[in-house]
Amino acid sequence: MYTAIETENMAMIRASAREFARLEIKPYIMEWDEKQYFPVELFKKMGNYGFMGILVPEEYKGAGLGYQEYITILDEISKVCGSIGLSVAAHNSLCTNHILSFANEAQKQKYLPKLATAEWIGAWGLTETGSGSDAGGLATTAVQEGDFWIINGSKTFITHAISADVFVVMVRTGDKGDKHGVTAFIVEKGTAGFTAGMKIDKLGMRASETASLFFDNCRLHKDQIIGDVGNGFVQALKLLDGGRISIAALSLGIARGAYECALRYANEREQFNQKIYDFQDVSFTIAEMATKIEAAELLVRKAGDLKDRHEKVTKAGAMAKLYASEVAVEVSNQSVQIHGGYGFTKDFPAEKFFRDAKLCTIGEGTSAIQKMVISREIKKDVL
């Protein structure tokens, strides 16, 4: 069982991420949110701190850290801005980690140093208009012509679709529904026949860029395939096990940010000649918020510990993602309520946490999908 003891090194990493978020993110969060501005320059700075190659070994210019450090960094950044936390998660755990986990050495040498230093921003494409939770039903296809593959189709809800420099995309190369009928390709920005659509106008996570991708006879050499032809879906499922830890850590940070702003407000706001924190209804609500955040962190840390020990993390990751994301929604909702009318305004941060939190129950597998994964794993335990 994982015991949550913060080492001296972890404390230093937390302090570094916290200070970066305070100085480089906090002053601009509402401006970025209102304009749906994706601050590429911020991520370049994060590359200098090692925040864009957290799990990448030092030989590829990464930070060479583990999942506990990754969780800590995401927690601190997301506590200030969920949008930035989401983009850090997508870059690290999806695009970069797919190449790190499954690419050949030549591909790693070519792409990982640029991704780990944020010289290049990464994106990952699985979701399509007709296949969200049903990830096996991809309609985007690749047909082989000699040493090349011709791709046609589209992807949607892709983080960094417009600004990214390198993309890992899953494309159907076999029969629909066949788990060995999907292949992962690396696509560079500017490749002929490969374009991005308009930015999607979202409820929350507005500073994390989201758009569609389009393939119109996009011609890729076989050297751009990650692993073997037909292994893309299997790779994606393995990657999502770790990706769920990312979203759980993101959820944890959002919940913590919403809780802390509610706690501050409750100790400042007076009604009936006393601080509203002194009303039992408010103090008990805050006590429940704190307890659920603590429980969520233990689930997230346990999943991270299993991942660092290279043990199976399917059930633990799904549990962490399910619980932490639902806690983020609940806590942010309660934070708005504690703020009263001010919680419904953009003068206080509660409303942004409320808007950002909802994505955590949807992205990288809805809550229903997490329950399906968990129930399948539980069934294996008794058979």
Side-chain angles (χ1 to χ4, degrees), residues 19-56:
E19 186 69 358
F20 183 89
R22 184 181 71 84
L23 295 176
E24 303 290 348
I25 301 174
K26 190 174 182 179
Y28 312 105
I29 54 175
M30 291 312 297
E31 176 186 347
W32 295 340
D33 183 81
E34 291 286 341
K35 296 178 179 178
Q36 285 207 105
Y37 176 69
F38 178 60
V40 174
E41 67 282 358
L42 174 77
F43 295 95
K44 303 294 185 182
K45 290 182 181 179
M46 282 198 276
N48 296 329
Y49 280 74
F51 296 163
M52 299 297 276
I54 301 169
L55 303 170
V56 177

Side-chain angles (χ1 to χ4, degrees), residues 228-250:
D228 296 328
V229 173
N231 276 357
F233 188 63
V234 175
Q235 293 170 8
L237 290 182
K238 290 179 179 178
L239 203 71
L240 286 171
D241 279 351
R244 287 171 183 140
I245 300 174
S246 296
I247 301 301
L250 168 67

Side-chain angles (χ1 to χ4, degrees), residues 88-249:
V88 171
H91 175 93
N92 275 278
S93 73
L94 296 179
C95 177
T96 303
N97 204 31
H98 198 139
I99 294 172
L100 176 64
S101 299
F102 301 108
N104 60 42
E105 187 58 30
Q107 292 168 334
K108 290 179 181 179
Q109 292 285 353
K110 180 177 181 179
Y111 293 108
L112 288 180
K114 291 184 178 182
L115 288 165
T117 58
E119 179 182 346
W120 281 5
I121 302 296
W124 193 77
L126 176 63
T127 303
E128 298 181 1
T129 303
S131 59
S133 295
D134 179 19
L138 301 182
T140 300
T141 58
V143 178
Q144 188 172 13
E145 289 187 1
D147 287 341
F148 291 86
W149 291 78
I150 312 303
I151 302 178
N152 284 284
S154 64
K155 299 289 179 180
T156 194
F157 295 123
I158 306 304
T159 305
H160 312 152
I162 299 169
S163 298
D165 303 281
V166 60
F167 304 73
V168 175
V169 296
M170 271 50 67
V171 179
R172 186 161 60 83
T173 51
D175 295 333
K176 184 176 287 190
D178 179 4
K179 67 178 181 179
H180 295 295
V182 174
T183 302
F185 288 83
I186 301 174
V187 190
E188 294 183 20
K189 189 174 188 176
T191 300
F194 177 58
T195 56
M198 298 291 291
K199 189 179 296 184
I200 297 172
D201 194 4
K202 306 193 300 287
L203 167 72
M205 301 292 196
R206 291 171 59 81
S208 181
E209 176 185 278
T210 308
S212 296
L213 296 173
F214 300 99
F215 301 87
D216 183 9
N217 291 321
C218 179
R219 187 178 176 87
L220 294 178
H221 193 269
K222 64 181 181 181
D223 289 346
Q224 296 305 105
I225 292 174
I226 298 178
D228 296 328
V229 173
N231 276 357
F233 188 63
V234 175
Q235 293 170 8
L237 290 182
K238 290 179 179 178
L239 203 71
L240 286 171
D241 279 351
R244 287 171 183 140
I245 300 174
S246 296
I247 301 301

Side-chain angles (χ1 to χ4, degrees), residues 255-276:
R256 204 187 305 278
Y259 159 77
E260 289 183 0
C261 73
L263 182 61
R264 285 193 301 270
Y265 184 81
N267 281 283
E268 294 169 357
R269 176 70 168 171
E270 290 190 3
Q271 292 286 273
F272 305 102
N273 298 317
Q274 62 179 2
K275 306 292 186 185
I276 65 169

